[in-house]
Amino acid sequence: MEKQLQLAIFDLDGVIVDTAKYHFLAWKRLADELGIHFTERDNERLKGVSRMRSLEIILEIGGKQKTAAEKQELANRKNTWYVEYIMQMDASEILPGVLPFLQELKDNNIKIALGSASKNAPTILNRLGIAAFFDAIVDGNLVTKAKPDPEVFTLGAELLGIAPEAAVVFEDAQAGIEAALRAGMKAIGVGSPGILQNAHHVIPGFESFDLAQMLKVPGL
């Protein structure tokens, strides 16, 4: 069974590290400047969504119109603040169980890839000290289509020369689960079974999850 599985692809935010709090702080700061009331509940709508679409949702919440140039400036401003926040990150922010699981995959010669919409993914991996675990990093700088389009995952498999059916994806957002399924890959949700209903399997996190358990998931 281990031969059948050749690649594990991880989303970043909410799977490896919780950067959602930093996104929220940066978006909240921007919304406040624009006079828009933006709450943590509103922030849930931005999960797994591209930067520009996130901005559009916030503008919709506030009932505000902006030109394309203004939107770009606002998105850049938010990203500058976000980068300031994540540059303070360190290995202590890696979610529980992730590091030993990555090591176990590496020890068993299973390739590891990142599939994230974040354009700051390489920066975050370096801050966490785990970039060396990844055989391929596919982020928002390499893809043009947002999840649930499968591009971010299919490109990861292509870069490593591995067939989609030999890959499993770890995702915390429904759009990401859908993208994995569209790519022809197995999907393991990280979070709530009630939200990630289409996943092949759902785990609350990596604290009590290992390779042996993963290989018991039907089809792996």
Side-chain angles (χ1 to χ4, degrees), residues 58-102:
I58 290 173
L59 293 174
E60 287 167 11
I61 290 170
K64 296 189 181 293
Q65 301 286 330
K66 296 291 179 182
T67 66
E70 288 171 333
K71 286 180 183 178
Q72 190 61 58
E73 190 278 326
L74 290 171
N76 290 344
R77 198 188 314 173
K78 178 267 175 180
N79 188 58
T80 297
W81 292 332
Y82 174 68
V83 171
E84 287 175 4
Y85 295 141
I86 64 173
M87 287 307 291
Q88 308 304 314
M89 295 176 70
D90 59 34
S92 68
E93 297 196 54
I94 300 172
L95 291 173
V98 169
L99 210 50
F101 186 65
L102 290 175

Side-chain angles (χ1 to χ4, degrees), residues 145-204:
K145 299 170 185 172
K147 302 169 187 175
D149 189 279
E151 182 185 26
V152 70
F153 298 139
T154 55
L155 181 56
E158 286 172 9
L159 288 173
L160 296 171
I162 294 173
E165 56 267 26
V168 60
V169 172
F170 290 91
E171 260 286 355
D172 74 321
Q174 185 55 40
I177 296 295
E178 182 64 30
L181 298 179
R182 288 190 192 181
M185 300 174 179
K186 295 294 183 292
I188 295 182
V190 182
S192 167
I195 297 173
L196 307 172
Q197 296 178 358
N198 296 331
H200 291 90
H201 185 66
V202 179
I203 59 174

Side-chain angles (χ1 to χ4, degrees), residues 8-178:
I9 305 179
F10 293 80
D11 179 36
L12 180 63
D13 300 343
V15 175
I16 291 174
V17 66
D18 181 14
T19 55
K21 57 188 175 186
Y22 299 120
H23 281 296
F24 174 69
L25 287 172
W27 283 126
K28 174 70 172 165
R29 186 170 168 183
L30 185 68
D32 287 346
E33 283 199 358
L34 294 170
I36 297 172
H37 181 62
F38 181 68
T39 67
E40 291 195 46
R41 180 183 288 271
D42 294 325
N43 193 57
E44 286 296 308
R45 293 177 58 189
L46 311 188
K47 201 170 186 181
V49 176
S50 71
R51 189 184 306 162
M52 289 306 296
R53 180 56 192 144
S54 294
L55 174 61
E56 288 167 359
I57 290 171
I58 290 173
L59 293 174
E60 287 167 11
I61 290 170
K64 296 189 181 293
Q65 301 286 330
K66 296 291 179 182
T67 66
E70 288 171 333
K71 286 180 183 178
Q72 190 61 58
E73 190 278 326
L74 290 171
N76 290 344
R77 198 188 314 173
K78 178 267 175 180
N79 188 58
T80 297
W81 292 332
Y82 174 68
V83 171
E84 287 175 4
Y85 295 141
I86 64 173
M87 287 307 291
Q88 308 304 314
M89 295 176 70
D90 59 34
S92 68
E93 297 196 54
I94 300 172
L95 291 173
V98 169
L99 210 50
F101 186 65
L102 290 175
Q103 188 62 59
E104 189 177 17
L105 292 175
K106 188 68 78 177
D107 291 344
N108 284 273
N109 298 313
I110 293 172
K111 296 291 186 182
I112 302 171
L114 189 81
S116 170
S118 173
K119 291 186 176 182
N120 297 296
T123 299
I124 294 171
L125 293 181
N126 284 321
R127 291 297 309 172
L128 300 175
I130 58 173
F133 277 105
F134 293 85
D135 300 290
I137 295 174
V138 180
D139 62 10
N141 297 298
L142 292 180
V143 296
T144 57
K145 299 170 185 172
K147 302 169 187 175
D149 189 279
E151 182 185 26
V152 70
F153 298 139
T154 55
L155 181 56
E158 286 172 9
L159 288 173
L160 296 171
I162 294 173
E165 56 267 26
V168 60
V169 172
F170 290 91
E171 260 286 355
D172 74 321
Q174 185 55 40
I177 296 295
E178 182 64 30

